[in-house]
DNA sequence: CAGCAGGGCATCGTATACGATTTCAGATAC
DNA sequence: GTATCTGAAATCGTATACGATGCCCTGCTG
C-alpha cells in the first residue's frame, strides 16, 4: 500500500533538522542574518518551535558549508566573509565555472544557446534602468545555462557549492562597478559565439576565465585601487 | 591567567564531537571502515564511550564532507564511491590541482623545488620494488609541495577537500597500472623544469593537467578498455 | 579613581529518555 | 512453494535535563 498515504501533507516530509537548515540558510542568503550575526541555539529553536538538537545539527551543516563559523563554548555566527576571502572564493569560482563551461560546451543544444542568448538580451535591456540585484541574478542564470551540460557532475557540484558560499554578498560586484556590466554582456556574446562555432575547448575555457577575472578585477580596482591582484591570471 | 592551566592534558582539549569525528574519519581513510560499512550511532557511541549526540554531529560533518552518506530513518554508511564518482572527482581534483600548481609556481623557493625533486627521486628509486601504497603517498607529497605556495588559499582548500574525499580509495590507480608510474615520474621532472625556467603559467597548468588526466586515462583504459572518457580534455 | 575578585546570567555540550520508523523473521493463506 | 501479513527488534529523531564554560557586571580594595 501507499507508504505515505496519510502523510501526504508534510509530517514525514522532512526532518526538523532539515527544516532548520533551510530556514536558517534562507535568512542568511536573504541578508536577514547578515555577516557577524549571532546564531543562538535556544533562540532559533524557539522561533522554529523545536528543541535545540535539530538546530545544532543544522548549524553544523552550515558550518561545513562555510556559511557559518563556530567557536567551541561560544557559539555560531554568520561567517564574516572578509574581503580577501571573497576574492579568493570568487577567483576559485571563476576557474571552476570556466572549466564547467568548457566541459559543457559540446553538449549544449540549440535550445540552450537560444535561452542563454535570451537571458543575455534581457540583461542588455536592463542596462538602462540598471538594477544590480536583478542583473546579478540574470548573470548567474546565464552562466548556469552555459555550464548546465557539464560532462563532469562533480565539477558542477563544486560550482554550485561555491555559488552558495558567496550567495549572501555577491550582489555587490555589479553595484560597485556599473560600467563593468556593459563589457560583461558583450563578453557573454563572444563566449556564445565561440561555443556556436565549435571553438577549441581550451579557447572557450580561456574566454570564460578571462570574463570572470575581468569582473573580479573591476571590483578590486574599485575597492583597492593600488593593489595588484592576479588570482587566476593564467 | 593561563586559561587552560590545569587542563593541559586533554579535558578541555577538544569536544567529544571532534573526537568522534577524528576517530571515525581515521577509520574510514584507514580502510578499517570500508565503503558501504554501516555506521550505527549506538555502536559507535559505545565504542567511543560517549552518548549518541556527539556521534550524530560527527557523522553529519562527515556527510557534508562527502565521506559518508545518510538516509533519513535508516542511518549512515561509508560512501560507496562508485566508479564514475571516482573518475569525476579525480578529474575535478586534477583541474584544481593543476591550477593550484600554476598559481603556486612563481612563489616556490629553491628549497621547495629541491624537496620536490628529492621526493620524485625517491619515487624513482621505489620503481624497482614497486609498492603502490607508498608510491601514491610520495606522489601526493610531490604535488602537495608544488601547490603549497598557491596564492589562492581557497583553491588550496578545495584541493585538500577533494583529496580527502578520494582518500579512502586512492591507492588504486597505480596498483592497477604499474606502467603508468614510470611515465608519471618523467612528467614530474618536466613540470619541475617548466617551473624552474619560469615558463608561462598557462603552460605549467596545461602540463600539470595533462599529467593528471593521463594518470586517470591509464586507470580508465585498464578498467574500461572500450570506453572513451575525456573528463578534462582541454 | 583604577583594577581585580567574585558571582550571576546566558549559552553551550552532553546524557538520558521515549516515541517514530524501518527492517527482518516467522507464520499463515493460497 | 510462494507471496503476503504480523509483530518484535533495531535504530533513528527529538525533547528534556543538567553540568560546564565563558562573559559581564557589581562591589571591594589599594
Amino acid at each position: 500500500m501507499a507508504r505515505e498515504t496519510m502523510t501526504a501533507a508534510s509530517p514525514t516530509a522532512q526532518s526538523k533538522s532539515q527544516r532548520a537548515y533551510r530556514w536558517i540558510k534562507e535568512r542568511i542568503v536573504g541578508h536577514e542574518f547578515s555577516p557577524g550575526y549571532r546564531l543562538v541555539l535556544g533562540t532559533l529553536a524557539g522561533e522554529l518551535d523545536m528543541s535545540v538538537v535539530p538546530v545544532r545539527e543544522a548549524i553544523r551543516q552550515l558550518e561545513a558549508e562555510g556559511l557559518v563559523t563556530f567557536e567551541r563554548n561560544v557559539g555560531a555566527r554568520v561567517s564574516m566573509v572578509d574581503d580577501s576571502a571573497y576574492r579568493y572564493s570568487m577567483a576559485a569560482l571563476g576557474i571552476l565555472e570556466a572549466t564547467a563551461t568548457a566541459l559543457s560546451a559540446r553538449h549544449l543544444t540549440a535550445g540552450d544557446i537560444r535561452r542563454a542568448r535570451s537571458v543575455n538580451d534581457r540583461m542588455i535591456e536592463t542596462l538602462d534602468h540598471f538594477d544590480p540585484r536583478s542583473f546579478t541574478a540574470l548573470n548567474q542564470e546565464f552562466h548556469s545555462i552555459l555550464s548546465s551540460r557539464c560532462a563532469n557532475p562533480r565539477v558542477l557540484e563544486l560550482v554550485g557549492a561555491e555559488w552558495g558560499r558567496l550567495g549572501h554578498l555577491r550582489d555587490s560586484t555589479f553595484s560597485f562597478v556599473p560600467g563593468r556590466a556593459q563589457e560583461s554582456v558583450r563578453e557573454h556574446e563572444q563566449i556564445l559565439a565561440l561555443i556556436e562555432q565549435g571553438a577549441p575547448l581550451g579557447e572557450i575555457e580561456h574566454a570564460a576565465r578571462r570574463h570572470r577575472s575581468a569582473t573580479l578585477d573591476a571590483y578590486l580596482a574599485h575597492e583597492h585601487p593600488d593593489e595588484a591582484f592576479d588570482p587566476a591570471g593564467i
Side-chain angles (χ1 to χ4, degrees), chain A:
Chain A
M1 286 115 201
R3 46 164 39 124
E4 295 184 3
T5 319
M6 346 227 61
T7 64
S10 66
T12 334
Q14 59 178 0
S15 70
K16 297 201 176 185
S17 325
Q18 288 175 351
R19 241 184 50 216
Y21 172 80
R22 290 165 182 277
W23 191 87
I24 299 172
K25 184 165 184 175
E26 223 168 76
R27 310 279 159 135
I28 294 179
V29 302
H31 304 268
E32 202 161 330
F33 294 165
S34 42
Y37 187 93
R38 180 88 195 283
L39 297 170
V40 180
L41 296 183
T43 310
L44 295 174
E47 288 209 56
L48 280 158
D49 188 42
M50 60 179 71
S51 97
V52 298
V53 182
V55 178
R56 270 185 75 88
E57 254 179 59
I59 286 190
R60 285 296 197 166
Q61 278 184 261
L62 290 166
E63 185 197 8
E65 248 176 277
L67 282 176
V68 158
T69 55
F70 204 83
E71 201 179 344
R72 171 164 159 96
N73 276 322
V74 173
R77 47 184 62 219
V78 178
S79 287
M80 297 284 262
V81 194
D82 62 300
D83 217 50
S84 65
Y86 177 71
R87 299 180 228 173
Y88 291 134
S89 212
M90 203 67 173
L93 174 59
I95 292 163
L96 283 167
E97 202 174 58
T99 305
T101 301
L103 287 174
S104 167
R106 295 284 183 266
H107 308 289
L108 288 171
T109 67
D112 293 329
I113 303 280
R114 190 159 10 88
R115 279 193 303 140
R117 186 162 273 133
S118 114
V119 169
N120 199 39
D121 288 345
R122 264 189 285 160
M123 291 174 79
I124 293 175
E125 285 169 28
T126 64
L127 279 181
D128 299 331
H129 37 279
F130 186 67
D131 169 29
R133 199 98 167 207
S134 62
F135 188 86
T136 303
L138 287 172
N139 188 45
Q140 178 176 8
E141 192 182 345
F142 178 84
H143 287 288
S144 161
I145 293 172
L146 286 197
S147 42
S148 61
R149 309 285 182 185
C150 177
N152 184 331
R154 178 61 187 154
V155 171
L156 262 191
E157 260 181 58
L158 289 170
V159 170
E162 214 59 18
W163 265 115
R165 254 175 74 90
L166 294 174
H168 58 302
L169 45 77
R170 69 164 171 271
D171 350 337
S172 30
T173 311
F174 290 111
S175 30
F176 291 150
V177 200
R180 170 68 193 146
Q182 320 218 350
E183 292 176 46
S184 194
V185 293
R186 255 202 309 281
E187 288 167 9
H188 285 175
E189 183 50 49
Q190 288 170 12
I191 294 173
L192 281 175
L194 283 178
I195 294 176
E196 281 182 314
Q197 69 197 46
L201 294 184
E203 208 170 310
I204 294 173
E205 182 178 21
H206 195 68
R209 224 184 241 201
R210 297 253 320 169
H211 166 62
R212 268 297 189 191
S213 65
T215 298
L216 182 54
D217 286 346
Y219 165 71
L220 293 176
H222 183 272
E223 287 287 286
H224 310 272
D226 49 318
E227 191 177 335
F229 189 72
D230 187 353
I234 295 179

